[in-house]
Structure formats: C-alpha cells, structure tokens
Amino acid sequence: MRDLRAGTASGTGIGTGPGRLLVVLYAVFTIGAASRSAYQLSTRFHEAPLAYLLSAAAALVYGFITVALVRGGEGARRAAFACCVAELTGVLAVGTWTVLDPSAFPDSTVWSDYGRGYLFLPLVLPVTGLYWLRRSRSA
C-alpha cells in the first residue's frame, strides 16, 4: 500500500493526521452511497430516478476524493480540491432544491436537505476536506 504521506517532504501529506480520518469517512460514504444507489437504481429506478442518479453521482465524487487523498501528491491534491468543490456545490444545490421543492424528490438523496439523513456530514465533509487540502499543502 502506498505511503499516505506521499507528495510532501515534511510529512504533512493530504492523507496523514486528520487526513486519515477524512480518508476513512470518504471511504465509508463511498461504500454507503454506492451500495444504496446501486440497490435503488436496480430495484426502484421508476420511483425516483433523479434522486437515485444523484446518489450515484455523490458516490462517484466520494470515490474520487478517497482515491485522491490516498494517492497524495500535487496532482491528486488538485483533483481532490476540485471534487470537494463539486461536492459542496452539489450539497448546496440539491439541499436547497429539496427544501424549496420537496415534491421534486419522491425519495431522498445523500445530499437531500443538506445531508440531514446523514447527520449533515455531506455538508461538513467537503468544507473540512477543502480546509485540510489547503492546510496540508506543501510549500
């Protein structure tokens, strides 16, 4: 397995320290969102296709962030940063949409109501990820 400190000489890589907790949380969210959306897409797609496709998109974003955090390096940092921005944009857009027009989503997504069904972690994770990526950037 790759050294999670890859990409920095100072040992403050994106996958070290608090970054390891982010890796674990993003991995858990990847597995959770992917398995949930796979089940929903394969068994109940006709009930709420938009919600289930958004959950699948969230799983992809979580997966990209997980891999980037584990890989380390400047390219991975940029990719993780872009994915965290996309995630935060998705959480804010879908969260606002579900609050303003709940009928648009017959079933919830990972990002519905700003991640309320997941203790608001979908809203907190990208903010924390962006903070960590900026803080741990190599000089």
Side-chain angles (χ1 to χ4, degrees):
M1 184 164 174
R2 275 184 73 124
D3 182 4
L4 293 178
R5 292 173 296 180
T8 64
S10 63
T12 59
I14 59 178
T16 62
R20 288 184 185 194
L21 179 58
L22 281 175
V23 169
V24 169
L25 289 172
Y26 272 115
V28 167
F29 267 75
T30 300
I31 294 165
S35 59
R36 176 183 175 179
S37 66
Y39 171 77
Q40 291 170 325
L41 287 169
S42 64
T43 62
R44 303 177 10 201
F45 179 76
H46 62 282
E47 293 176 22
L50 180 59
Y52 303 150
L53 288 171
L54 285 171
S55 287
L60 285 173
V61 172
Y62 294 146
F64 281 123
I65 294 169
T66 303
V67 170
L69 289 172
V70 169
R71 280 190 57 123
E74 196 54 37
R77 177 186 307 284
R78 284 193 296 268
F81 192 88
C83 286
C84 283
V85 168
E87 177 191 1
L88 183 57
T89 302
V91 171
L92 293 175
V94 172
T96 301
W97 191 0
T98 56
V99 168
L100 296 177
D101 186 14
S103 65
F105 292 89
D107 201 354
S108 64
T109 74
V110 175
W111 295 339
S112 292
D113 300 316
Y114 307 104
R116 183 179 64 186
Y118 294 85
L119 303 174
F120 297 101
L121 284 175
L123 182 60
V124 173
L125 271 177
V127 173
T128 306
L130 290 168
Y131 171 77
W132 179 248
L133 288 165
R134 301 238 334 131
R135 183 180 177 275
S136 64
R137 181 174 41 195
S138 59

